[in-house]
Amino acid sequence: VNELKKIANNNNLSLITLILNWTFSFKIVNSICLGTSSINQLEEFVNAKNILVENWDYINKLIDKVISNEEVSIMPKTFFEK
């Protein structure tokens, strides 16, 4: 998370903006269900989706590099439990 915060800060984005735009960059994702703990967090989610991120390809490569260095797989073996 700290590395993702650095990427967000270096590109003048909030961490939420970075993560939501990254998540929506996957063609298979067309909606996200979010839970919030406050009105401020809900507003941040809404505003994050409305921010046009410049240089997204470059930022996406930085995120992929961070993720690939982690020992955690980002793709679960199954998406839904039976």
Side-chain angles (χ1 to χ4, degrees), residues 24-79:
F24 276 118
S25 74
F26 293 95
K27 292 178 182 178
I28 195 168
V29 175
N30 58 21
S31 65
I32 302 172
C33 181
L34 300 169
T36 64
S37 60
S38 67
I39 295 295
N40 289 339
Q41 192 176 47
L42 177 61
E43 289 172 349
E44 190 172 358
F45 286 152
V46 171
N47 291 334
K49 185 58 186 119
N50 294 327
I51 293 174
L52 178 62
V53 178
E54 294 182 24
N55 301 320
W56 182 249
D57 289 335
Y58 169 74
I59 295 170
N60 203 19
K61 287 177 185 175
L62 293 175
I63 294 171
D64 288 344
K65 186 175 179 180
V66 168
I67 299 296
S68 69
N69 287 335
E70 296 296 322
E71 294 180 7
V72 177
S73 173
I74 62 169
M75 298 301 287
K77 292 182 181 180
T78 58
F79 292 97

Side-chain angles (χ1 to χ4, degrees), residues 1-37:
V1 172
N2 289 331
E3 292 300 316
L4 296 175
K5 284 181 183 178
K6 288 178 189 176
I7 294 170
N9 289 335
N10 289 341
N11 291 280
N12 298 317
L13 302 169
S14 71
L15 183 58
I16 289 175
T17 300
L18 181 81
I19 297 304
L20 286 180
N21 278 282
W22 177 74
T23 303
F24 276 118
S25 74
F26 293 95
K27 292 178 182 178
I28 195 168
V29 175
N30 58 21
S31 65
I32 302 172
C33 181
L34 300 169
T36 64
S37 60

